[in-house]
Amino acid sequence: SAAAKIKTQAMLRVADPNTLFADGKLIILDESGGLTLARPNEGHVEILSKATVSESQTWTPPTLVGTTLYVRDRQRLSAYDLK
């Protein structure tokens, strides 16, 4: 929802995040290619891991299929095994 997106954006200080919720965790991709794995807790978000997955702008929401995360930027589609 729009409210959840604004709250996530404020809590993590990321620009225009695209967020997935899977297995009790948030998978957050910001427009500059930063990927964050986080666990929501009461009133805050615990960051578990961060990585840069693209040097190009990433406007498309990431897609999770099984344990494979697909990220598309302006130049390519990448797949990451999250096992």
Side-chain angles (χ1 to χ4, degrees):
S1 76
K5 185 174 184 175
I6 291 168
K7 187 171 184 177
T8 300
Q9 192 171 2
M11 293 173 93
L12 297 175
R13 295 179 178 90
V14 294
D16 199 20
N18 286 300
T19 306
L20 295 174
F21 185 76
D23 195 29
K25 298 175 188 79
L26 296 169
I27 300 169
I28 305 152
L29 180 66
D30 67 42
E31 67 181 6
S32 62
L35 185 70
T36 302
L37 179 63
R39 179 178 294 120
N41 290 313
E42 292 181 31
H44 72 284
V45 175
E46 174 188 1
I47 296 175
L48 303 173
S49 181
K50 290 182 104 170
T52 299
V53 295
S54 175
E55 298 298 325
S56 182
Q57 289 181 317
T58 52
W59 294 322
T60 306
T63 302
L64 184 63
V65 178
T67 60
T68 303
L69 182 71
Y70 295 92
V71 175
R72 182 173 176 256
D73 64 22
R74 296 185 70 183
Q75 299 166 344
R76 69 183 144 277
L77 174 66
S78 303
Y80 300 93
D81 186 4
L82 301 182
K83 288 184 192 173

